[in-house]
């Protein structure tokens, strides 16, 4: 499940506790946790609701000013059911904490080296991508693919692995190195 940045931060602040989605069938279930830009969010409940029964108050609870604003976000076909999804904020994203730590031990550096070796084993992309992001913060996946043998969507998925290990951050547009990513490149003289 994807939440916009504004809604994710509102969930983290406790101002939004519900979302509505028009899906052919439920795509989440109670207990599911997922990452957002504001941290980890949990699905508490999910139940079908009658769209005609929704009100402006329901929209405000979901973070929208009016019912029209909320229903404008609905995808799928009009005859597909609408689900009310109860949400709660769980915790900050541990990747953010990891990314913020520039003090690397020798074991950290060895671990990152091994990770990058594994990622580059079949198709070299990881070290090149880190170097390009360092040179041009905000670079997009499309621009990063120049000269690589992986496509844009594949590269986006691969960059998530770098983010999982605290080396990069996603921006609204493009990517940047984290403090940990900069520290790794400094420590390995890959500047």
């Amino acid at each position: 499940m994807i939440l916009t940045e504004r809604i994710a931060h509102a969930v983290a602040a406790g101002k939004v506790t519900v979302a509505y989605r028009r899906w052919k069938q439920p795509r989440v279930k109670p207990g599911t946790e997922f990452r957002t830009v504001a941290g980890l969010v949990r699905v508490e409940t999910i139940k079908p609701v009658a769209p005609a029964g929704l009100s402006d108050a329901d929209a405000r609870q979901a973070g929208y000013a009016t019912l029209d604003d909320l229903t404008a976000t609905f995808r799928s076909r009009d005859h597909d059911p609408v689900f009310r999804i109860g949400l709660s904020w769980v915790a900050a994203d541990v990747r953010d904490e990891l990314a913020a730590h520039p003090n690397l031990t020798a074991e950290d550096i060895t671990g990152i080296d091994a990770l990058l070796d594994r990622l580059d084993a079949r198709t070299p992309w990881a070290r090149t991508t880190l170097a390009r992001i360092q040179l041009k913060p905000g670079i997009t996946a499309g621009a990063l693919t120049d000269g690589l043998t992986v496509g844009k969507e594949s590269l986006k998925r691969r960059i998530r692995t770098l983010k999982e290990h605290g080396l990069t951050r996603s921006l609204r547009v493009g990517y940047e190195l984290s403090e940990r990513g900069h520290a790794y490149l400094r420590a390995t003289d890959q500047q």
Side-chain angles (χ1 to χ4, degrees), residues 125-140:
W125 68 271
R127 284 186 171 83
T128 300
T129 298
L130 286 175
R132 289 178 180 176
I133 292 171
Q134 180 186 32
L135 289 174
K136 191 173 181 186
I139 191 169
T140 64

Side-chain angles (χ1 to χ4, degrees), residues 37-51:
V37 296
L40 201 59
V41 172
R42 179 183 297 118
V43 174
E44 298 294 345
T45 60
I46 181 166
K47 66 178 187 173
V49 296

Side-chain angles (χ1 to χ4, degrees), residues 23-69:
W23 290 328
K24 191 173 190 172
Q25 60 190 21
R27 296 184 186 170
V28 295
K29 59 185 177 181
T32 301
E33 293 183 354
F34 60 97
R35 289 189 179 123
T36 71
V37 296
L40 201 59
V41 172
R42 179 183 297 118
V43 174
E44 298 294 345
T45 60
I46 181 166
K47 66 178 187 173
V49 296
L54 295 175
S55 67
D56 281 342
D58 294 316
R60 285 190 296 276
Q61 189 182 21
Y64 294 90
T66 68
L67 183 57
D68 286 342
D69 292 339

Side-chain angles (χ1 to χ4, degrees), residues 2-166:
I2 298 173
L3 299 178
T4 65
E5 183 175 350
R6 181 182 68 80
I7 297 297
H9 285 291
V11 171
K15 295 177 182 176
V16 168
T17 58
V18 66
Y20 292 91
R21 295 292 189 273
R22 182 184 296 277
W23 290 328
K24 191 173 190 172
Q25 60 190 21
R27 296 184 186 170
V28 295
K29 59 185 177 181
T32 301
E33 293 183 354
F34 60 97
R35 289 189 179 123
T36 71
V37 296
L40 201 59
V41 172
R42 179 183 297 118
V43 174
E44 298 294 345
T45 60
I46 181 166
K47 66 178 187 173
V49 296
L54 295 175
S55 67
D56 281 342
D58 294 316
R60 285 190 296 276
Q61 189 182 21
Y64 294 90
T66 68
L67 183 57
D68 286 342
D69 292 339
L70 172 63
T71 58
T73 68
F74 290 173
R75 302 292 181 256
S76 242
R77 295 175 291 227
D78 288 344
H79 66 274
D80 287 337
V82 173
F83 296 92
R84 182 185 190 278
I85 304 153
L87 302 173
S88 66
W89 188 76
V90 178
D93 191 335
V94 294
R95 298 176 303 178
D96 293 337
E97 186 176 326
L98 179 63
H101 291 299
N103 300 324
L104 300 178
T105 65
E107 292 80 22
D108 292 333
I109 293 167
T110 299
I112 295 169
D113 281 338
L115 167 73
L116 297 178
D117 287 345
R118 191 174 68 248
L119 295 175
D120 280 341
R122 287 188 187 172
T123 304
W125 68 271
R127 284 186 171 83
T128 300
T129 298
L130 286 175
R132 289 178 180 176
I133 292 171
Q134 180 186 32
L135 289 174
K136 191 173 181 186
I139 191 169
T140 64
L144 283 166
T145 60
D146 288 345
L148 296 178
T149 59
V150 294
K152 178 180 164 182
E153 294 307 314
S154 176
L155 186 61
K156 283 181 175 184
R157 287 188 299 276
R158 291 169 187 234
I159 290 172
R160 286 187 203 126
T161 303
L162 299 176
K163 186 175 181 179
E164 289 289 327
H165 292 275

